[in-house]
Amino acid sequence: ESGVDPFVFNRSLADSFSDNSSRHTQLAATEVLDLFFELFQLSSCVDSRDGTKSNTDTTSSGGEIIFENLLSVFCEFCFSKAWNFKSGIMSAVLNLMNRMGLRWCKQYEVEVLHTALFLVKNAPNDMSLAGKESLKFFTQICWFFFEGPTSWKDSKTLIHDVLCPTRVHIRSESGENDHAIISEASLTLLLSELSSTSHLVRFAIRHALRLITRDTTTSLQTLLSKHTSSLKRLL
């Protein structure tokens, strides 16, 4: 009723990550996020099954709402901020996702992929660095959700470039094996950009489809079979 935004802290944190005037500001924001995350870990509820406190549950005590809003704000800033402010925000998105883990992030897969794809589409043609950073971010997001072939990451002879974001470390979770599973909504989002006039966007989509079908029993033909009519209209 007072009109005070209960999530004003999240927006302030996002502003700090997008501040490119000083690297110290972004480092301080990272430290604050560390403390923020640890606070909810310490306050996580006791597991009634064995009487021990979960060391990965950050969703108790309102934590899920807070972190969901934080991810939403980070994605919002990826859309609204000028390009010279987006680099820190992209790092913040990956930072938060790596902390929360794949299982938690899977429920926001469509929103995050939409954000990453928008950045590739929105990269100015006269800013080569923007194209490189947006494509790297999209690739890192895809590797987070769908993972890349082990040979790509472990090869000593492979040239590690933007397509091999080895710095992304996904927090492992017990029984977690959902990497190569893509939701229909996410797949529809990717396929809708197959005929994009941007070569970067088309390249990004092809790369994502390669990851999705790399080691699964589902072939690309089978995966796309439900979207035949849509593909014909696009192509």
Side-chain angles (χ1 to χ4, degrees):
E1 295 179 0
S2 63
V4 176
D5 185 354
F7 301 112
V8 65
F9 174 80
N10 285 350
R11 301 193 72 85
S12 298
L13 189 60
D15 276 325
S16 298
F17 274 111
S18 64
D19 185 359
N20 65 350
S21 62
S22 172
R23 178 167 175 78
H24 296 294
T25 303
Q26 293 183 357
L27 290 175
T30 302
E31 292 181 5
V32 170
L33 183 59
D34 289 342
L35 293 173
F36 197 37
F37 188 80
E38 291 173 7
L39 173 64
F40 281 97
Q41 278 191 315
L42 291 173
S43 64
S44 60
C45 61
V46 173
D47 190 330
S48 59
R49 289 171 298 179
D50 56 11
T52 59
K53 183 173 289 188
S54 169
N55 62 355
T56 59
D57 183 10
T58 57
T59 61
S60 61
S61 304
E64 182 168 6
I65 298 175
I66 297 296
F67 287 111
E68 178 182 0
N69 176 262
L70 184 58
L71 180 61
S72 176
V73 172
F74 284 164
C75 290
E76 176 191 332
F77 275 38
C78 286
F79 281 91
S80 61
K81 290 291 184 179
W83 256 104
N84 53 323
F85 296 103
K86 290 184 178 182
S87 179
I89 291 294
M90 287 188 279
S91 298
V93 171
L94 289 167
N95 191 334
L96 178 60
M97 290 175 63
N98 288 327
R99 291 174 183 281
M100 298 305 292
L102 178 61
R103 185 177 293 114
W104 184 86
C105 292
K106 265 291 185 179
Q107 58 190 323
Y108 309 110
E109 178 185 281
V110 178
E111 291 79 4
V112 175
L113 276 175
H114 180 215
T115 301
L117 190 56
F118 168 80
L119 290 171
V120 178
K121 292 169 59 178
N122 190 247
N125 293 329
D126 56 345
M127 291 179 61
S128 58
L129 182 60
K132 177 182 177 181
E133 289 189 350
S134 64
L135 186 58
K136 179 178 180 180
F137 178 69
F138 179 86
T139 306
Q140 288 177 312
I141 293 298
C142 287
W143 278 57
F144 182 94
F145 283 125
F146 315 123
E147 201 174 39
T150 303
S151 60
W152 289 16
K153 293 182 287 186
D154 296 339
S155 172
K156 295 181 180 180
T157 58
L158 186 70
I159 298 176
H160 292 286
D161 58 10
V162 70
L163 296 183
C164 302
T166 54
R167 290 184 296 173
V168 175
H169 301 289
I170 301 171
R171 198 180 73 192
S172 60
E173 298 177 20
S174 178
E176 196 170 85
N177 59 355
D178 298 328
H179 276 105
I181 303 173
I182 184 172
S183 67
E184 280 297 315
S186 295
L187 182 59
T188 301
L189 173 68
L190 295 177
L191 295 181
S192 67
E193 297 296 339
L194 266 178
S195 60
S196 171
T197 56
S198 168
H199 68 283
L200 281 180
V201 173
R202 296 195 304 272
F203 181 86
I205 300 302
R206 291 198 304 270
H207 180 71
L209 292 176
R210 287 178 64 196
L211 293 185
I212 295 165
T213 58
R214 78 193 188 283
D215 291 326
T216 65
T217 56
T218 304
S219 66
L220 182 59
Q221 182 178 357
T222 302
L223 188 68
L224 301 182
S225 60
K226 297 179 181 179
H227 301 267
T228 303
S229 298
S230 299
L231 290 173
K232 287 181 178 179
R233 286 195 299 269
L234 285 173
L235 305 176

